[in-house]
């Protein structure tokens, strides 16, 4: 159904997006960390890309395939990521604003490990979203992968900071942050294996609408609130608008 080159392209995008947690890990273990304005802009940019592509490109394509059922798929995607989010305790949820306090080494270790597991759970559906976009819509897949990669950077930071304190090793903290991102290509592989036998216009319509729901939830419930926590409201909004503009131009150029 798909050419080998198309599958490899989609998988490479997913792998790259997932391993961007390693960038966050590198930032966390380096002496110099990004300022609040940079983080606000980056998170806002990611949200802008996700929101625009979800409402303007992905959801309309799903409606072309399955009509009004795409609305059900959209909210099913939101319900899926909502359940996943609720299963992860707030104090170790990588999408909750990260606040580091002085604590015993054992608590830092526990926090780092649980955060890595939480990220793996969250990244599973994100990996499938990136992979499906790469298979079906290569012209928008790069933008989707970039948005998810940007939003994975703070997750890498969330893993690496407590593990650096617990293990006393920058290398081990960075490695753990990088490896936590492998859940995305794993999610792509497992999801593709399960969906391949039933892949068709109807199944793709539901998958695309669900992916749009997942991305909208992540943007509104995770990325923008975390950007706001930095205290740089306008920077977050400017990033949001810039992300939308970048995605709009890329779609127009690819049309």
């Amino acid at each position: 159904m798909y050419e080998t080159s198309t599958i490899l392209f989609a998988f490479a995008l997913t792998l790259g997006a997932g391993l961007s947690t390693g960038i966050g890990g590198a930032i966390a273990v380096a002496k110099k960390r990004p300022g609040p304005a940079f983080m606000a802009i980056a998170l806002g940019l990611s949200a802008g890309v996700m929101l625009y592509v979800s409402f303007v490109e992905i959801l309309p394509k799903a409606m072309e395939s399955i009509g009004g059922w795409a609305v059900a798929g959209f909210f099913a995607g939101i319900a899926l990521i909502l359940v996943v989010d609720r299963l992860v305790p707030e104090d170790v949820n990588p999408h909750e604003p990260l606040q580091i306090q002085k604590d015993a080494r054992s608590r830092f270790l526990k926090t780092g490990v649980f955060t890595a597991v939480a990220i793996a759970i969250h990244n599973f559906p994100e990996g499938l979203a990136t992979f499906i976009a790469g298979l079906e819509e290569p012209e928008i897949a790069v933008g989707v992968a970039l948005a998810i990669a940007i939003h994975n950077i703070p997750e890498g930071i969330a893993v690496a900071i407590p593990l650096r304190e617990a293990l006393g090793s920058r290398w081990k903290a960075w490695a753990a942050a990088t490896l936590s991102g492998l859940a995305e290509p794993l999610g792509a592989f497992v999801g593709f294996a399960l969906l391949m036998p039933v892949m068709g216009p109807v199944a793709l319509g539901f998958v695309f609408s669900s992916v749009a729901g997942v991305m909208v939830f992540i943007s509104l419930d995770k990325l923008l609130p975390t950007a706001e926590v930095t205290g740089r409201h306008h920077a977050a909004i400017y990033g949001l608008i810039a992300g939308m503009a970048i995605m709009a131009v890329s779609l127009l150029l690819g049309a």
Side-chain angles (χ1 to χ4, degrees):
M1 185 176 180
Y2 297 102
E3 295 183 0
T4 302
S5 59
T6 302
I7 295 175
L8 291 176
F9 169 75
F11 188 79
L13 284 180
T14 307
L15 180 63
L19 291 181
S20 66
T21 53
I23 299 175
I27 293 172
V29 301
K31 290 184 178 180
K32 186 177 181 180
R33 298 190 179 109
F38 174 84
M39 293 301 296
I41 291 174
L43 290 167
L45 185 83
S46 179
V49 169
M50 287 192 184
L51 289 172
Y52 192 91
V53 76
S54 295
F55 285 122
V56 175
E57 186 73 11
I58 298 179
L59 190 56
K61 284 187 177 296
M63 296 190 77
E64 289 178 7
S65 299
I66 57 176
W69 286 104
V71 176
F74 176 80
F75 285 103
I78 291 178
L80 170 64
I81 196 66
L82 176 63
V83 169
V84 169
D85 191 63
R86 297 303 297 175
L87 289 175
V88 180
E90 272 192 16
D91 59 344
V92 296
N93 192 329
H95 287 150
E96 299 299 332
L98 180 64
Q99 296 181 356
I100 299 297
Q101 299 176 342
K102 292 183 179 180
D103 205 345
R105 179 170 294 185
S106 61
R107 176 164 175 78
F108 276 120
L109 180 60
K110 181 180 179 181
T111 299
V113 171
F114 271 92
T115 301
V117 172
I119 285 175
I121 294 172
H122 277 281
N123 285 358
F124 214 78
E126 293 172 14
L128 179 59
T130 308
F131 189 72
I132 293 296
L135 289 178
E136 296 296 326
E137 300 292 338
E139 65 273 16
I140 68 171
V142 174
V144 172
L146 179 61
I148 290 179
I150 291 172
H151 123 262
N152 279 348
I153 291 175
E155 295 184 349
I157 295 174
V159 173
I161 287 179
L163 288 181
R164 182 187 62 182
E165 299 298 322
L167 302 175
S169 170
R170 294 186 178 190
W171 163 251
K172 291 179 180 179
W174 173 82
T178 303
L179 290 175
S180 68
L182 290 179
E184 293 218 356
L186 179 61
F189 178 79
V190 173
F192 181 68
L194 293 175
L195 291 173
M196 188 62 182
V198 297
M199 196 69 78
V202 174
L204 280 174
F206 275 108
V207 169
F208 262 88
S209 57
S210 298
V211 163
V214 168
M215 293 174 68
V216 167
F217 181 88
I218 290 171
S219 299
L220 297 181
D221 189 62
K222 309 304 175 188
L223 296 179
L224 290 178
T226 304
E228 288 287 336
V229 167
T230 65
R232 302 299 178 94
H233 168 78
H234 287 101
I237 297 302
Y238 297 154
L240 174 73
I241 295 171
M244 289 182 172
I246 290 170
M247 199 67 244
V249 171
S250 69
L251 289 176
L252 288 173
L253 293 177

